[in-house]
Amino acid sequence: MAEVASFAGVIALLAYPVLAQDGMGPVPENAEARSYGGGWDCVLGFRANGAECIAIDIPENAYATGRSYGSGWSCRRGYEEVGGTSCKAIPVPLNAFLQSSGHDWQCERGYRQDRDACVPITLPDNAYLTDDPSDSGWACERGFTATSAACVPIAVPENGYLTNADYGAEWACERGFFEINDRCDPVVLPANAFLDPDSYGAGWRCERGYEPENNACVAIDLPENAHLDRSGNRWRCDRGFQLSNRECALGR
């Protein structure tokens, strides 16, 4: 029995440093007992080293993170880490401000970024400032388009209107007109047709029961055992019938 007890004591002594490494055992200096689960944790600015809490070397303009991994500190807002040992101030150029993240800077309104500086935006006539300092910093007013460093009027033909689109066509033809050679010509409606709401094509569509043929709408000659399809401008054979020589024959 004495040998067993002695062996158990040795095991306990060997296990103690491991328990202390995990924040178990007596609470050392610069530590506090956990509020649940037992054990202890080092206070902010210290980290566990065996059964002790040793001070973290926190550089100027940094703060303790309280994390057990990494350096244990992070740079304050407006500073950036250098070589994992110090924090240096982020250089903010004239006419700029530190972003809310604290990790970068942004030019003030009326200025745009040019490498490490903020230069004044030259605003052309018929333009206004935008909130994108990385680009030109301005956009043309409605009715104008950007060409080089100027805003030139958009040539909208008669019976056309501005699309206000950032990309693509700057103008489109009014309803009842179609685009041809940079102008808007009136749509000539054949009999039994109506204006097409789509902006492309002939500008008109045949009424139901008619099909387009040579710029006209001709009545559909519906064969027996057939019906108009969903568009109303074509036909198909009824169920159970097959198309054969423009007729619908009983399927076999």
Side-chain angles (χ1 to χ4, degrees), residues 82-113:
V82 179
T85 59
S86 62
C87 294
K88 74 170 185 178
I90 296 173
V92 180
L94 192 64
N95 302 310
F97 59 90
L98 197 65
Q99 291 182 343
S100 59
S101 65
H103 301 306
D104 203 356
W105 54 268
Q106 181 177 326
C107 293
E108 296 176 353
R109 181 174 172 81
Y111 295 83
R112 63 177 179 84
Q113 183 175 347

Short mmCIF file of all heavy atoms in Angstrom, two decimals, residues 82-113:
data_model
loop_
_atom_site.label_atom_id
_atom_site.label_comp_id
_atom_site.label_asym_id
_atom_site.label_seq_id
_atom_site.Cartn_x
_atom_site.Cartn_y
_atom_site.Cartn_z
N VAL A 82 4.47 47.69 -37.02
CA VAL A 82 5.74 47.67 -37.75
C VAL A 82 6.60 46.55 -37.19
O VAL A 82 7.02 46.61 -36.02
CB VAL A 82 6.47 49.02 -37.64
CG1 VAL A 82 7.81 48.95 -38.39
CG2 VAL A 82 5.63 50.15 -38.18
N GLY A 83 6.86 45.54 -37.99
CA GLY A 83 7.77 44.47 -37.61
C GLY A 83 7.34 43.68 -36.39
O GLY A 83 8.16 42.97 -35.80
N GLY A 84 6.08 43.77 -36.00
CA GLY A 84 5.60 43.02 -34.86
C GLY A 84 6.14 43.49 -33.53
O GLY A 84 5.98 42.83 -32.51
N THR A 85 6.77 44.71 -33.53
CA THR A 85 7.37 45.20 -32.29
C THR A 85 6.93 46.60 -31.90
O THR A 85 7.10 47.00 -30.75
CB THR A 85 8.91 45.20 -32.42
OG1 THR A 85 9.29 46.03 -33.53
CG2 THR A 85 9.44 43.78 -32.63
N SER A 86 6.39 47.36 -32.85
CA SER A 86 6.03 48.75 -32.54
C SER A 86 4.82 49.20 -33.37
O SER A 86 4.37 48.50 -34.29
CB SER A 86 7.22 49.68 -32.82
OG SER A 86 7.56 49.63 -34.19
N CYS A 87 4.30 50.36 -33.02
CA CYS A 87 3.16 50.95 -33.73
C CYS A 87 3.54 52.36 -34.18
O CYS A 87 3.94 53.19 -33.35
CB CYS A 87 1.93 51.02 -32.82
SG CYS A 87 1.26 49.42 -32.33
N LYS A 88 3.42 52.62 -35.46
CA LYS A 88 3.73 53.95 -35.97
C LYS A 88 2.44 54.59 -36.49
O LYS A 88 1.52 53.91 -36.95
CB LYS A 88 4.79 53.90 -37.06
CG LYS A 88 4.29 53.38 -38.39
CD LYS A 88 5.33 53.59 -39.50
CE LYS A 88 4.76 53.18 -40.87
NZ LYS A 88 5.74 53.43 -41.96
N ALA A 89 2.40 55.92 -36.42
CA ALA A 89 1.22 56.67 -36.85
C ALA A 89 1.02 56.52 -38.35
O ALA A 89 1.97 56.54 -39.13
CB ALA A 89 1.37 58.13 -36.48
N ILE A 90 -0.25 56.34 -38.77
CA ILE A 90 -0.59 56.27 -40.19
C ILE A 90 -0.50 57.69 -40.75
O ILE A 90 -1.19 58.59 -40.26
CB ILE A 90 -2.00 55.70 -40.40
CG1 ILE A 90 -2.06 54.25 -39.91
CG2 ILE A 90 -2.41 55.78 -41.87
CD1 ILE A 90 -3.45 53.66 -39.92
N PRO A 91 0.35 57.91 -41.76
CA PRO A 91 0.47 59.27 -42.30
C PRO A 91 -0.79 59.67 -43.08
O PRO A 91 -1.14 59.03 -44.06
CB PRO A 91 1.69 59.18 -43.22
CG PRO A 91 1.80 57.73 -43.58
CD PRO A 91 1.25 56.96 -42.43
N VAL A 92 -1.46 60.70 -42.61
CA VAL A 92 -2.66 61.21 -43.27
C VAL A 92 -2.30 62.49 -44.00
O VAL A 92 -1.88 63.47 -43.37
CB VAL A 92 -3.80 61.48 -42.26
CG1 VAL A 92 -5.03 62.01 -42.97
CG2 VAL A 92 -4.13 60.21 -41.50
N PRO A 93 -2.42 62.52 -45.33
CA PRO A 93 -2.01 63.71 -46.08
C PRO A 93 -2.95 64.90 -45.86
O PRO A 93 -4.03 64.75 -45.27
CB PRO A 93 -2.05 63.24 -47.54
CG PRO A 93 -3.06 62.15 -47.55
CD PRO A 93 -2.94 61.47 -46.22
N LEU A 94 -2.55 66.04 -46.35
CA LEU A 94 -3.36 67.24 -46.27
C LEU A 94 -4.65 67.04 -47.05
O LEU A 94 -4.67 66.38 -48.10
CB LEU A 94 -2.56 68.42 -46.84
CG LEU A 94 -3.12 69.83 -46.60
CD1 LEU A 94 -3.12 70.15 -45.11
CD2 LEU A 94 -2.29 70.84 -47.39
N ASN A 95 -5.75 67.57 -46.53
CA ASN A 95 -7.07 67.48 -47.15
C ASN A 95 -7.60 66.04 -47.17
O ASN A 95 -8.29 65.62 -48.10
CB ASN A 95 -7.05 68.03 -48.59
CG ASN A 95 -6.60 69.48 -48.64
OD1 ASN A 95 -7.11 70.32 -47.90
ND2 ASN A 95 -5.63 69.78 -49.49
N ALA A 96 -7.23 65.29 -46.13
CA ALA A 96 -7.71 63.91 -45.97
C ALA A 96 -8.09 63.69 -44.52
O ALA A 96 -7.77 64.50 -43.64
CB ALA A 96 -6.66 62.91 -46.43
N PHE A 97 -8.78 62.57 -44.26
CA PHE A 97 -9.16 62.23 -42.90
C PHE A 97 -9.03 60.72 -42.71
O PHE A 97 -9.05 59.95 -43.68
CB PHE A 97 -10.60 62.67 -42.59
CG PHE A 97 -11.64 62.08 -43.50
CD1 PHE A 97 -12.28 60.88 -43.19
CD2 PHE A 97 -11.99 62.72 -44.68
CE1 PHE A 97 -13.23 60.33 -44.03
CE2 PHE A 97 -12.96 62.18 -45.53
CZ PHE A 97 -13.57 60.99 -45.20
N LEU A 98 -8.88 60.32 -41.46
CA LEU A 98 -8.76 58.91 -41.12
C LEU A 98 -10.12 58.25 -41.24
O LEU A 98 -11.12 58.76 -40.72
CB LEU A 98 -8.22 58.75 -39.70
CG LEU A 98 -7.65 57.40 -39.31
CD1 LEU A 98 -6.39 57.08 -40.12
CD2 LEU A 98 -7.33 57.37 -37.82
N GLN A 99 -10.19 57.11 -41.93
CA GLN A 99 -11.45 56.39 -42.07
C GLN A 99 -11.91 55.85 -40.72
O GLN A 99 -11.13 55.72 -39.79
CB GLN A 99 -11.32 55.25 -43.08
CG GLN A 99 -11.13 55.73 -44.52
CD GLN A 99 -11.05 54.57 -45.49
OE1 GLN A 99 -10.82 53.43 -45.11
NE2 GLN A 99 -11.21 54.87 -46.77
N SER A 100 -13.21 55.53 -40.64
CA SER A 100 -13.77 55.06 -39.37
C SER A 100 -13.11 53.79 -38.88
O SER A 100 -13.05 53.53 -37.68
CB SER A 100 -15.29 54.84 -39.52
OG SER A 100 -15.56 53.88 -40.53
N SER A 101 -12.60 52.96 -39.80
CA SER A 101 -11.92 51.73 -39.40
C SER A 101 -10.62 52.03 -38.66
O SER A 101 -10.13 51.22 -37.88
CB SER A 101 -11.62 50.87 -40.63
OG SER A 101 -10.69 51.52 -41.49
N GLY A 102 -10.05 53.21 -38.95
CA GLY A 102 -8.79 53.60 -38.32
C GLY A 102 -7.57 53.00 -38.96
O GLY A 102 -6.45 53.19 -38.47
N HIS A 103 -7.75 52.28 -40.09
CA HIS A 103 -6.63 51.61 -40.73
C HIS A 103 -6.18 52.28 -42.03
O HIS A 103 -5.19 51.87 -42.62
CB HIS A 103 -6.98 50.15 -41.02
CG HIS A 103 -7.34 49.36 -39.81
ND1 HIS A 103 -6.53 49.28 -38.70
CD2 HIS A 103 -8.45 48.62 -39.51
CE1 HIS A 103 -7.10 48.54 -37.78
NE2 HIS A 103 -8.27 48.13 -38.24
N ASP A 104 -6.90 53.27 -42.49
CA ASP A 104 -6.57 53.92 -43.76
C ASP A 104 -7.14 55.34 -43.76
O ASP A 104 -7.87 55.73 -42.85
CB ASP A 104 -7.12 53.11 -44.94
CG ASP A 104 -6.36 53.37 -46.24
OD1 ASP A 104 -5.47 54.24 -46.23
OD2 ASP A 104 -6.67 52.72 -47.25
N TRP A 105 -6.87 56.09 -44.82
CA TRP A 105 -7.35 57.47 -44.91
C TRP A 105 -8.12 57.67 -46.21
O TRP A 105 -8.03 56.86 -47.14
CB TRP A 105 -6.20 58.46 -44.82
CG TRP A 105 -5.07 58.24 -45.79
CD1 TRP A 105 -3.95 57.50 -45.59
CD2 TRP A 105 -4.99 58.72 -47.14
NE1 TRP A 105 -3.16 57.51 -46.71
CE2 TRP A 105 -3.75 58.26 -47.68
CE3 TRP A 105 -5.79 59.52 -47.93
CZ2 TRP A 105 -3.34 58.56 -48.97
CZ3 TRP A 105 -5.39 59.83 -49.23
CH2 TRP A 105 -4.18 59.33 -49.74
N GLN A 106 -8.87 58.75 -46.26
CA GLN A 106 -9.70 59.06 -47.42
C GLN A 106 -9.68 60.56 -47.66
O GLN A 106 -9.63 61.35 -46.71
CB GLN A 106 -11.14 58.59 -47.17
CG GLN A 106 -12.10 58.84 -48.32
CD GLN A 106 -13.48 58.29 -48.03
OE1 GLN A 106 -13.62 57.27 -47.37
NE2 GLN A 106 -14.51 58.99 -48.49
N CYS A 107 -9.69 60.94 -48.93
CA CYS A 107 -9.68 62.37 -49.27
C CYS A 107 -11.00 63.03 -48.92
O CYS A 107 -12.07 62.42 -48.99
CB CYS A 107 -9.41 62.55 -50.76
SG CYS A 107 -7.74 62.04 -51.28
N GLU A 108 -10.92 64.30 -48.56
CA GLU A 108 -12.12 65.07 -48.27
C GLU A 108 -12.88 65.35 -49.56
O GLU A 108 -12.35 65.21 -50.67
CB GLU A 108 -11.74 66.38 -47.58
CG GLU A 108 -11.08 66.20 -46.22
CD GLU A 108 -10.62 67.51 -45.62
OE1 GLU A 108 -10.70 68.54 -46.33
OE2 GLU A 108 -10.18 67.51 -44.46
N ARG A 109 -14.14 65.74 -49.41
CA ARG A 109 -14.97 66.05 -50.58
C ARG A 109 -14.34 67.22 -51.34
O ARG A 109 -13.91 68.21 -50.75
CB ARG A 109 -16.38 66.41 -50.13
CG ARG A 109 -17.34 66.75 -51.27
CD ARG A 109 -18.74 66.94 -50.73
NE ARG A 109 -19.65 67.45 -51.74
CZ ARG A 109 -20.25 66.72 -52.67
NH1 ARG A 109 -20.03 65.41 -52.67
NH2 ARG A 109 -21.06 67.24 -53.55
N GLY A 110 -14.27 67.08 -52.65
CA GLY A 110 -13.64 68.11 -53.47
C GLY A 110 -12.20 67.80 -53.81
O GLY A 110 -11.56 68.55 -54.54
N TYR A 111 -11.71 66.65 -53.25
CA TYR A 111 -10.34 66.22 -53.54
C TYR A 111 -10.38 64.75 -53.96
O TYR A 111 -11.28 64.01 -53.59
CB TYR A 111 -9.43 66.38 -52.32
CG TYR A 111 -9.25 67.82 -51.90
CD1 TYR A 111 -10.19 68.45 -51.09
CD2 TYR A 111 -8.13 68.55 -52.31
CE1 TYR A 111 -10.03 69.77 -50.70
CE2 TYR A 111 -7.96 69.87 -51.92
CZ TYR A 111 -8.91 70.48 -51.12
OH TYR A 111 -8.75 71.79 -50.74
N ARG A 112 -9.37 64.32 -54.71
CA ARG A 112 -9.26 62.93 -55.12
C ARG A 112 -7.86 62.42 -54.82
O ARG A 112 -6.90 63.20 -54.74
CB ARG A 112 -9.58 62.75 -56.61
CG ARG A 112 -8.62 63.46 -57.53
CD ARG A 112 -8.96 63.18 -59.00
NE ARG A 112 -8.05 63.87 -59.90
CZ ARG A 112 -6.86 63.40 -60.26
NH1 ARG A 112 -6.46 62.21 -59.79
NH2 ARG A 112 -6.07 64.06 -61.08
N GLN A 113 -7.75 61.11 -54.64
CA GLN A 113 -6.46 60.51 -54.27
C GLN A 113 -5.55 60.39 -55.48
O GLN A 113 -5.94 59.92 -56.54
CB GLN A 113 -6.68 59.14 -53.64
CG GLN A 113 -5.39 58.49 -53.17
CD GLN A 113 -5.64 57.18 -52.43
OE1 GLN A 113 -6.78 56.88 -52.07
NE2 GLN A 113 -4.61 56.40 -52.22
#
